[in-house]
Amino acid sequence: MFSGLVSALLLAAVEAAATCPPDEPVIERLTCSDSMAGELDPGARYWLTMSPFDLDSTLGSVGDEYACGLPFAPLTQVGPEDVYEFECQSYGLVGLRVTGLECDLDIYILNDTCSPDFGCVQGSTSAYDDTDSVNFYCIEGETYYIVIEGFGFTPGAEDACSRVNPPVYELQFDLSAGAGCAEDCDDRLDNDLDGFVDCDDSDCYGEPACGEVCDDGVDNDLDLRVDCRDADCFDEPFCCDDDNDGFDDLACGGTDCDDAVFHGTDVDGDGWPNACDNCIFDANPDQDDADGDAVGDACERCPGWPDEADADGDGTPDGCDVCPGADDRYDVDGDGIPDACDDCLSVLGDSDGDGSPDDCDPCPSTPFETDDDGDGAWSCDDCDDADPDRDMLDRDRDGYTSCDGDCYDDNGLVYPGAVELGDGVDGDCDGIVDEGTARFDDDGDGFAEFGGDCDDSDPGVSPIAIEVCDRVDQDCDGEIDEDTDCSDDDGDGFSEDDGDCNDGNDAVNPDRDEILGNGIDDDCDGVVDVMADDPDGDGMTEEAGDCDPLDDLVRPGLREVPDGLDNDCDGLIDEGTSRADDDGDGLTEEQGDCNDADANTWPGAPERVDGVDNDCDGSVDEGTDHSDDDGDGVSELHGDCDDTNGAVAPGATEVPGNGLDDDCDGLTDEDDDLDGDGFAVADGDCDDSDGWANPGLTESCDGIDNDCDGAVDEGCERAAEGGAPEFVGECTGCRSDPAWSGIGGSVLCLVLLFRRRRVR
């Protein structure tokens, strides 16, 4: 914590001219890091007062009350004190410590007010300890006061400070706070807090006190020679360049083969002096010599082979002869391959500089072409040479390749911009199947055209929508605005907007004459007959059918609303509203039924191929054969054999060894040779789990179609019961014979069968 402490010990503290405002003497102004000894003088009655600003040395003061300190605060101190001052050089951590205590002293940090009350920054008031310390972050440019208080808080106790038990202390401080105090090169302290001490610090390089350190890789004395190359280190036992030629001897891992002889020249700059270099003019830093002839590989004509062996006499050693038996010096096209062995004698040159002449280069303008994905398309013609499913081949001849975005290049009706056909395939390769067709819910209202949506571009129009007065058929029933205020529902020529007070009764409208005694407001003037009893004023009396004459929300002809009342007096409550289970499926609209007119539609219902969101999850026909559930652009309807796996679909690349029919051709891993007989299913292996069956075998009399020709044991005739199979044709040695019943015969027959097995 006090890594920057200076070892110098000031035996006597010199009183400085400054004072802790206004008159407390300051012993010394501290800088950087140091330590000093001090002793409080019990006779020197310097006391800080309890006043927040005034300082005096009045003998009768009641003491100094400090507002901060750990573990005890606030605390009144009545003893003498020493005061030091410092200015924060840079924001950072400041550490102070008093040690060597034989009696109880405390240490405080005060700000520039020097007030123990509200100027107290931090304090250490531990009792019975021989050390008190504080650490705090100071603010750049601020002045702080360090106060060493005598007698602690236990005056009169055995450990109290007194003339008999003098208050002696050592103050250690680290005030650099990152300010970069200069390094003192011989005090064994890191004065500038950079992690390097004395001569290890670059500030001390070149100082007379700092000679060369012989093992730190630094030119300490700035003479341009480092460690053992410096004359200061020649006598060090670990320095290996005895002849001072700049090359360490071999025993030290160097390159000097004779460290007693000065070798100062290294022509090729490979670190080996000429006298020790096996290739003087060719850099050979590892001195490689594969053939052990003392001539380095870097300067040999044929490393690893004797240069003198040249059977065809063309000047090229046999070990490096590109075309043995012919003259390697003849190379018409200059491609480095002698003419006698050159498969492509080209006169067109090599435009891309990849070593392949243009007339033999599949990509003459692209150097070092590859086919990393093995799809048969070279990298210059392949938009993604890491993906075998993408290439520039237009397999279905629809004008688009997989590199152009054709997502199903085996189907000529599928390509970017094609028309969706509603066939379970992403026809336009936009990642969505059948959008814009009668089977897709384009407006997201839970119904496709196939499910009865009469306007699939408007989410407000569907078979379960509420009709509103806007000249639009919202509920797709073929009628416009029915059951709204602007519709003449009873056909009497008047709607509610026209003043019809009962639009469910064609005998009631503003043009009708009042019929006395029927209990109905026939002419819609607000009066029922003359002197008729209509207490709720809804235009109908109880005698005329009002089932609740005291509630104007109840009478025949009113629209039912979800209020717990029989609004239309038909004997049913809330029918046709969100509170009623109108389709009898056990759920209402308020319980999540998204179509309460269809008993096949409710949360959790099985999804059906009907263009309707049967399970009320916001998706139409998902999980059915018409839906592309895994997002690979193909549904079960169009051949996806696993619509839960986006990597499996017709046209996908078969992945060997994964146990899946990736391309939905009915075969699993057909490119794998599962039984290890050299033939995969794709090669005609009729049983890839049995190594005794493949197109390369000869038929044996074993009950297996060994040669995969569709016939089993052709040419064999079954002998009498108990005998061995008899082969008519090639296998003449397999006739029924008592000798075959022995063990030796069985073993021999197995050997013969094994010999018939062929591995490609």
Side-chain angles (χ1 to χ4, degrees):
M1 182 166 59
F2 297 95
S3 61
L5 298 179
V6 177
S7 63
L9 184 65
L10 305 180
L11 298 179
V14 179
E15 184 170 306
T19 63
C20 175
D23 58 4
E24 180 73 17
V26 175
I27 293 177
E28 185 163 326
R29 185 178 181 87
L30 307 179
T31 60
C32 292
S33 303
D34 211 335
S35 65
M36 61 180 61
E39 178 178 338
L40 289 177
D41 182 2
R45 296 293 184 175
Y46 297 128
W47 298 32
L48 294 175
T49 70
M50 292 183 66
S51 169
F53 293 106
D54 297 332
L55 291 163
D56 59 45
S57 56
T58 304
L59 187 59
S61 174
V62 295
D64 308 311
E65 184 176 67
Y66 290 87
C68 63
L70 290 174
F72 304 106
L75 188 64
T76 299
Q77 302 274 10
V78 297
E81 65 274 321
D82 281 352
V83 180
Y84 300 86
E85 174 187 293
F86 74 91
E87 180 179 345
C88 182
Q89 303 176 58
S90 175
Y91 174 79
L93 185 66
V94 170
L96 301 112
R97 180 169 61 180
V98 288
T99 62
L101 304 181
E102 296 180 358
C103 60
D104 187 25
L105 296 181
D106 294 325
I107 183 170
Y108 292 93
I109 302 296
L110 308 181
N111 64 18
D112 58 0
T113 68
C114 203
S115 167
D117 184 4
F118 62 81
C120 196
V121 177
Q122 196 174 113
S124 176
T125 59
S126 58
Y128 312 111
D129 290 337
D130 61 359
T131 300
D132 279 289
S133 62
V134 293
N135 293 279
F136 74 103
Y137 284 90
C138 69
I139 301 175
E140 182 178 354
E142 294 290 326
T143 298
Y144 297 88
Y145 294 93
I146 306 168
V147 180
I148 310 298
E149 271 287 359
F151 296 98
F153 70 92
T154 56
E158 291 182 0
D159 63 342
C161 299
S162 66
R163 290 185 182 280
V164 178
N165 190 18
V168 177
Y169 64 88
E170 179 179 341
L171 173 63
Q172 300 174 330
F173 52 92
D174 180 0
L175 311 178
S176 298
C181 295
E183 183 72 10
D184 187 341
C185 299
D186 62 355
D187 63 355
R188 299 183 181 179
L189 294 174
D190 181 17
N191 307 97
D192 56 2
L193 305 179
D194 64 355
F196 298 94
V197 177
D198 293 352
C199 293
D200 290 335
D201 195 313
S202 60
D203 292 344
C204 298
Y205 291 171
E207 287 290 329
C210 297
E212 183 70 10
V213 178
C214 300
D215 61 353
D216 64 353
V218 176
D219 181 15
N220 308 93
D221 56 6
L222 305 179
D223 64 354
L224 302 182
R225 291 184 176 272
V226 177
D227 295 350
C228 290
R229 300 190 186 280
D230 194 303
D232 294 345
C233 301
F234 284 172
D235 295 332
E236 290 289 340
F238 55 85
C239 290
C240 299
D241 185 13
D242 296 333
D243 55 11
N244 300 322
D245 61 359
F247 300 95
D248 290 344
D249 63 33
L250 298 178
C252 293
T255 59
D256 198 333
C257 54
D258 186 353
D259 204 33
V261 179
F262 186 90
H263 302 131
T265 305
D266 177 15
V267 173
D268 56 13
D270 61 1
W272 291 82
N274 293 346
C276 307
D277 197 344
N278 63 12
C279 280
I280 296 176
F281 300 102
D282 297 288
N284 193 24
D286 296 328
Q287 295 294 283
D288 294 331
D289 181 15
D291 53 14
D293 61 359
V295 179
D297 292 346
C299 52
E300 279 201 275
R301 289 186 297 164
C302 186
W305 296 85
D307 289 353
E308 62 274 10
D310 181 14
D312 55 13
D314 61 0
T316 302
D318 292 345
C320 299
D321 202 329
V322 177
C323 193
D327 197 333
D328 286 14
R329 290 171 294 184
Y330 292 99
D331 181 13
V332 173
D333 53 13
D335 61 358
I337 302 175
D339 293 348
C341 300
D342 197 341
D343 292 333
C344 182
L345 288 173
S346 173
V347 296
L348 298 180
D350 180 12
S351 301
D352 54 14
D354 62 358
S356 296
D358 289 353
D359 47 354
C360 306
D361 194 339
C363 297
S365 300
T366 304
F368 307 109
E369 58 278 351
T370 61
D371 182 17
D372 291 336
D373 55 12
D375 60 1
W378 291 101
S379 52
C380 58
D381 296 321
D382 197 334
C383 59
D384 187 349
D385 202 31
D387 187 351
D389 291 330
R390 302 188 67 200
D391 54 44
M392 299 298 292
L393 303 175
D394 183 13
R395 294 180 176 83
D396 54 15
R397 300 184 180 182
D398 58 6
Y400 292 85
T401 69
S402 56
C403 286
D404 298 326
D406 194 332
C407 53
Y408 193 179
D409 204 29
D410 293 325
N411 187 335
L413 298 177
V414 176
Y415 53 85
V419 177
E420 287 287 341
L421 301 177
D423 55 0
V425 177
D426 180 14
D428 55 5
C429 294
D430 64 352
I432 305 174
V433 174
D434 293 345
E435 77 279 8
T437 70
R439 291 192 174 274
F440 192 82
D441 178 18
D442 296 296
D443 56 13
D445 59 8
F447 291 84
E449 290 96 325
F450 180 65
D453 197 333
C454 52
D455 184 355
D456 206 24
S457 65
D458 187 348
V461 175
S462 74
I464 62 170
I466 303 299
E467 196 74 25
V468 296
C469 189
D470 59 358
R471 305 303 303 162
V472 174
D473 180 13
Q474 270 87 13
D475 56 6
C476 296
D477 63 354
E479 298 183 27
I480 296 176
D481 298 344
E482 76 278 7
D483 295 328
T484 67
D485 288 347
C486 64
S487 173
D488 177 18
D489 299 307
D490 56 11
D492 61 4
F494 291 85
S495 66
E496 285 93 329
D497 287 345
D498 298 325
D500 194 333
C501 54
N502 187 347
D503 205 27
N505 187 344
D506 60 1
V508 177
N509 62 61
D511 275 355
R512 291 291 184 178
D513 293 327
E514 190 69 25
I515 300 174
L516 299 179
N518 66 355
I520 298 174
D521 181 13
D522 305 280
D523 56 4
C524 295
D525 64 353
V527 179
V528 178
D529 299 338
V530 178
M531 303 298 292
D533 186 15
D534 181 20
D536 56 10
D538 60 5
M540 186 171 290
T541 67
E542 185 174 4
E543 292 77 13
D546 192 336
C547 53
D548 189 349
L550 300 179
D551 190 341
D552 62 354
L553 298 177
V554 177
R555 66 168 173 79
L558 285 181
R559 186 178 297 112
E560 195 73 25
V561 295
D563 59 0
L565 301 175
D566 180 12
N567 305 93
D568 55 5
C569 291
D570 64 354
L572 302 175
I573 295 176
D574 294 343
E575 75 279 6
T577 70
S578 59
R579 289 188 181 179
D581 177 20
D582 298 303
D583 54 12
D585 59 8
L587 295 173
T588 67
E589 287 97 324
E590 293 185 359
Q591 294 171 323
D593 194 333
C594 54
N595 185 356
D596 205 29
D598 185 353
N600 293 318
T601 299
W602 42 272
E607 196 70 28
R608 305 166 66 186
V609 183
D610 56 4
V612 176
D613 178 16
N614 305 99
D615 55 4
C616 296
D617 65 351
S619 300
V620 173
D621 294 350
E622 77 282 3
T624 69
D625 290 348
H626 283 262
S627 174
D628 175 25
D629 297 303
D630 56 11
D632 58 10
V634 185
S635 67
E636 291 98 320
L637 178 68
H638 210 75
D640 194 333
C641 52
D642 185 354
D643 207 27
T644 65
N645 187 342
V648 175
T653 299
E654 191 70 26
V655 179
N658 68 352
L660 300 176
D661 180 13
D662 303 277
D663 55 6
C664 294
D665 63 353
L667 301 175
T668 299
D669 298 335
E670 57 264 31
D671 294 327
D672 286 354
D673 177 19
L674 302 180
D675 56 13
D677 62 1
F679 291 84
V681 173
D683 302 320
D685 195 331
C686 53
D687 186 353
D688 205 29
S689 64
D690 189 345
W692 292 104
N694 65 62
L697 287 179
T698 300
E699 190 69 24
S700 301
C701 303
D702 56 3
I704 298 173
D705 181 12
N706 306 96
D707 55 6
C708 291
D709 64 352
V712 176
D713 292 348
E714 63 270 23
C716 290
E717 294 180 358
R718 296 293 173 186
E721 183 177 354
E726 181 177 342
F727 189 86
V728 179
E730 179 183 347
C731 188
T732 56
C734 294
R735 294 188 178 276
S736 178
D737 190 283
W740 287 100
S741 63
I743 296 177
S746 300
V747 172
L748 179 60
C749 195
L750 286 174
V751 171
L752 291 173
L753 287 174
F754 182 78
R755 292 183 59 191
R756 291 194 183 96
R757 182 179 180 185
R758 299 290 184 265
V759 178
R760 194 170 52 167

